[in-house]
Amino acid sequence: MRNILVAGNWKMNGDSAANAALVESIVAGQPAAPNVEMLVCPPFPYLSAVGAAVAESRVQLGAQNVSQFDRGAYTGEVSAAMLVDLGCRFVIVGHSERRAMYGETSEVVAAKYAAVLEAGLTPILCVGETLEDREAGNTEAVVDEQLDAVLSESGADGIGRGVVAYEPVWAIGTGKTATPEQAQDVHRHLRSRIAAHDAGVAASTQILYGGSVNGDNAEGLFSMPDIDGGLVGGASLKAADFLAIADAASRV
Ligand code: PGA
């Protein structure tokens, strides 16, 4: 059976003092259930400090972005090897905010995904449609294009060494969660698309849901057969809210 992963994407929030308090409460309150994994993804400047704060716990450390390049004249960029150096285990790639605001194409995202694998880290590949895409009936076509770019770059084996996160853009930060059934439909579709390449990989790959996950809706989402946890933005910034989601995960 697949473990449930509850991942916090802090985005561009926090400061040293607030992070220390947040992570201390998360570590103290982490559910004991061995099948519930927790992950926090702070902004780059805080990776070291947050990494030190979770070091003795089961809470894992991840980054929100990475360069597709190894090293060199890329001002402002951070390589996967640097993230290894700082103790990261996971890296989010292709978040919709990066695709929409920083022009990351599926090709760039696939290159980042490959760089993360190459460094021995676990990429979390975000896919998801806009409201316009959904209303036009294009949800599957959009997520297929995003997934296929990574499948053709890294293969099914590469997908098997990562995590997929389905995040409908219309549900991110809006308070409008996809219903468990809406999310399950897309998760089932993604898993079957991976299964067309490798059924074993499809069965073992964690597929997270993201978009306004909170303590009230998490249990319904995580109870669906193809939903293996959540990528959580807003609710990951308050320890009580994030822990309520982890508690919901330990009940399913
Ligand atoms: P949200 O963000 O939980 O605030 O909707 C999720 C995400 O962007 O990963």
Side-chain angles (χ1 to χ4, degrees), residues 9 11 95 97 167 171-174 210-213 231-235:
N9 172 11
K11 308 192 181 181
H95 191 280
E97 288 154 13
E167 297 206 301
I172 295 176
T174 58
S212 300
V213 177
L231 182 54
V232 184

Side-chain angles (χ1 to χ4, degrees), residues 211-234:
S212 300
V213 177
N214 60 40
D216 294 329
N217 59 33
E219 191 168 345
L221 288 159
F222 299 169
S223 300
M224 301 310 276
D226 290 300
I227 301 183
D228 309 309
L231 182 54
V232 184

Side-chain angles (χ1 to χ4, degrees), residues 55-197:
E56 303 298 319
S57 78
R58 292 172 48 236
V59 178
Q60 301 269 5
L61 184 70
Q64 300 172 17
N65 184 30
V66 68
S67 171
Q68 66 270 47
F69 304 113
D70 289 344
R71 71 181 65 76
Y74 301 104
T75 302
E77 293 290 287
V78 172
S79 73
M82 293 172 187
L83 298 177
V84 172
D85 199 17
L86 291 175
C88 285
R89 297 293 317 142
F90 291 81
V91 186
I92 298 168
V93 297
H95 191 280
S96 63
E97 288 154 13
R98 303 252 10 129
R99 293 180 192 262
M101 289 189 270
Y102 301 97
E104 289 190 13
T105 61
S106 290
E107 197 184 9
V108 167
V109 173
K112 291 186 173 201
Y113 190 100
V116 173
L117 284 182
E118 178 69 25
L121 300 176
T122 303
I124 300 177
L125 169 68
C126 299
V127 301
E129 83 288 2
T130 63
L131 187 58
E132 197 183 11
D133 295 329
R134 175 163 282 262
E135 287 175 345
N138 290 335
T139 297
E140 291 188 358
V142 169
V143 299
D144 286 354
E145 186 273 332
Q146 294 169 335
L147 178 68
D148 288 356
V150 173
L151 276 167
S152 52
E153 174 81 27
S154 297
D157 173 62
I159 290 289
R161 291 159 59 207
V163 173
V164 177
Y166 168 56
E167 297 206 301
V169 177
W170 49 271
I172 295 176
T174 58
K176 274 190 225 150
T177 323
T179 65
E181 294 73 20
Q182 279 176 321
Q184 167 60 22
D185 281 349
V186 181
H187 282 235
R188 186 197 304 110
H189 172 77
L190 289 166
R191 201 177 297 287
S192 69
R193 196 155 182 99
I194 299 167
H197 295 258

